[in-house]
Amino acid sequence: MAKERAGRLQQAVPAAVIGALAGAALTGHRSRRAALLGTLGGAIGVAAADGIARARQRPGEIPALWSRIIASGALAAPAGWAAQRLTGAGPLPVATVAGAAAGALGLRPQKVLLGPAIGAAVGLGLSRPGSRPTAGSVAAAAAVVGYRVAAALIFRDPQLSMLAERVHSEDVPFVVPLASQTRYVGTGYVRSLAQVLGGTYTPDVADIGIVASLDSLAGPSFDPAGVDPLVREFYEHTTRFALDIVPQWRLWVRPGYLLYRTLLARPLGQANVPMSQREAQHGIHSRIDTISGADGAVSVRGWIRSAADTDEPIYVGIYTTYRHEDQGYVSVGFPLPQASFTATLAPAARPGGGLVLDSRSPLDQPGHYLTFIDPQTGELTTAAVRGFAERLEVYVSRSGAEAGAGVGSSVGELRAEHSFWVFGFPFLVLHYRIHRKPPRGPMPAGPAASPRHCAR
């Protein structure tokens, strides 16, 4: 009971801080006394709302929608205050931008379009001729709350659904339970993880793959024997190859992605995909860092892709394989501060000896999962991210006489197409050209590795 009270108090403090900032922003333009009362009232109000929502929260649920809407409005108020102070903008542009930002975070195209529309409508309502000037904090909070209420009424299907609360890693085998201990992930993540796990860190391993063996993915729906040798070599000896990437973004998602990239991806040092082909032409540096146990077996494989000219992180992913009910899967964990975003993919054959990894499957394991990792106990709270899907196809491109060689031949050039959807709408395709690197000397045998999830 004491532990539960302490946990609730720990959760109430951030809510109170958010409420205090919101109250100050919403009332500070009136008077000092009003600002003090607003700060106190905001702290008590938001903390109370959060406490009530969490007290009524059932196991396996996320906090009630009404409490999340209140929190969203409270977060928007200080941002609106700052925008007005820095730019001098009125309620119409502030509300429109706030609505657009909230819509962009909703991901699906309909929400991206709804956000600025609701924001503009709120801004127009607050800018009526003859009415008193409206503070930017009020405009932003009203736009975000208005958008969240409208979106909840229009879009009934949840974007997140809780799967497990305070469980152990073996209870959710489709999750890679590795978080970042700091607010920045970056290209040095595996080094810092080795200090936490206590293993032996080896940077930029010369001859290793993102999986130990494709044979670990065998199952009723996939036979590794049918994979082209060049595709197998890429997965089992990834560092023998260099990659060129050409991103193909849909126009509707560009504004939202630019906001996400500026506010989240770059500050986090994670999931920072190039915006254009011109940016991608600077090249990609690809390496795999590992962590090994006392027996020398590799327990962690971190595939790190960064910009060749700046070393700015593009992806920092922990690649694992595991088996469930006689079927192999690939799980890729993308570390976040005290959390992990996991993509669990089912393997399938592609005509011509290629390999497909897909999050859409009739099986119950594939999907995308957002997991909070308790820093004290290591317990996991996992939600399924509905509506997000991806498909990776790696294959050998052949033409003419090369095509006649057929599967089993290493003739041809490796290609990959990595496609992403949100609520059924395609928004990004990453086109990869994969080239063999010049040999750095005799290639040693690849290190032994456990196909199970690391750090279990």
Side-chain angles (χ1 to χ4, degrees):
M1 184 66 70
K3 183 179 178 182
E4 184 177 347
R5 285 201 196 99
R8 288 186 179 178
L9 180 62
Q10 187 179 14
Q11 293 167 343
V13 170
V17 171
I18 291 171
L21 292 174
L26 290 169
T27 58
H29 61 286
R30 296 180 180 177
S31 67
R32 183 172 296 181
R33 174 182 170 82
L36 289 174
L37 291 175
T39 300
L40 181 61
I44 294 173
V46 175
D50 182 77
I52 292 171
R54 292 187 182 277
R56 298 176 63 182
Q57 180 181 351
R58 297 177 181 178
E61 290 183 344
I62 59 178
L65 175 62
W66 61 265
S67 70
R68 289 182 277 133
I69 291 176
I70 291 174
S72 298
L75 287 169
W81 174 86
Q84 190 174 55
R85 289 292 297 268
L86 293 173
T87 66
L92 177 56
V94 170
T96 302
V97 171
L105 294 175
L107 292 180
R108 73 176 77 184
Q110 303 96 318
K111 288 190 172 184
V112 173
L113 296 174
L114 181 66
I118 294 291
V122 170
L124 286 171
L126 296 174
S127 304
R128 293 192 307 269
S131 62
R132 296 179 59 183
T134 302
S137 57
V138 175
V144 170
V145 170
Y147 161 76
R148 291 295 307 272
V149 171
L153 294 173
I154 297 171
F155 307 107
R156 308 295 295 181
D157 52 322
Q159 297 185 58
L160 291 176
S161 60
M162 192 71 74
L163 294 181
E165 189 173 16
R166 295 194 170 277
V167 299
H168 299 289
S169 57
E170 56 267 22
D171 299 319
V172 282
F174 43 81
V175 167
V176 180
L178 296 176
S180 173
Q181 304 303 310
T182 65
R183 294 182 180 179
Y184 186 77
V185 181
T187 57
Y189 170 74
V190 180
R191 180 192 297 273
S192 62
L193 180 64
Q195 297 174 354
V196 175
L197 299 181
T200 301
Y201 168 69
T202 306
D204 197 7
V205 178
D207 189 35
I208 194 171
I210 52 178
V211 302
S213 172
L214 281 187
D215 294 334
S216 63
L217 303 181
S221 62
F222 176 65
D223 181 7
V227 174
D228 188 284
L230 195 57
V231 175
R232 176 183 282 268
E233 183 183 8
F234 170 73
Y235 275 96
E236 297 178 351
H237 301 278
T238 310
T239 54
R240 294 179 184 176
F241 298 87
L243 293 82
D244 294 327
I245 181 174
V246 177
Q248 183 182 352
W249 290 93
R250 293 297 178 104
L251 289 178
W252 64 266
V253 82
R254 284 177 175 268
Y257 178 71
L258 181 61
L259 182 68
Y260 155 81
R261 190 185 195 194
T262 302
L263 298 180
L264 290 176
R266 279 181 163 160
L268 281 176
Q270 176 65 289
N272 179 25
V273 180
M275 275 289 292
S276 64
Q277 183 176 352
R278 181 178 180 181
E279 184 180 345
Q281 284 175 345
H282 293 288
I284 294 178
H285 176 60
S286 170
R287 77 174 199 260
I288 294 179
D289 295 355
T290 64
I291 301 175
S292 303
D295 59 356
V298 173
S299 57
V300 173
R301 298 164 184 259
W303 191 14
I304 300 164
R305 284 154 286 179
S306 59
D309 53 345
T310 64
D311 203 38
E312 183 179 27
I314 296 175
Y315 279 121
V316 180
I318 305 300
Y319 281 71
T320 70
T321 62
Y322 75 102
R323 298 191 64 78
H324 178 76
E325 295 182 353
D326 201 32
Q327 173 66 58
Y329 299 92
V330 173
S331 278
V332 187
F334 298 96
L336 302 170
Q338 297 303 326
S340 174
F341 182 78
T342 301
T344 294
L345 311 172
R350 186 184 190 275
L355 172 61
V356 175
L357 296 175
D358 205 328
S359 66
R360 298 175 298 184
S361 170
L363 302 170
D364 62 353
Q365 299 289 294
H368 294 86
Y369 307 98
L370 184 62
T371 300
F372 170 75
I373 304 168
D374 189 298
Q376 276 76 45
T377 66
E379 293 175 322
L380 311 180
T381 298
T382 297
V385 182
R386 307 296 182 185
F388 192 82
E390 66 179 293
R391 177 183 175 94
L392 173 62
E393 301 180 58
V394 179
Y395 59 95
V396 178
S397 176
R398 297 185 177 91
S399 61
E402 293 178 349
V407 178
S409 168
S410 59
V411 176
E413 188 173 26
L414 274 173
R415 294 282 190 274
E417 309 290 334
H418 200 168
S419 304
F420 299 87
W421 294 264
V422 60
F423 293 99
F425 290 88
F427 69 90
L428 171 64
V429 180
L430 299 176
H431 304 276
Y432 287 95
R433 297 186 66 177
I434 304 171
H435 315 275
R436 190 184 299 278
K437 295 177 182 177
R440 293 193 287 185
M443 291 187 180
S450 168
R452 294 295 302 168
H453 273 308
C454 48
R456 284 289 171 90

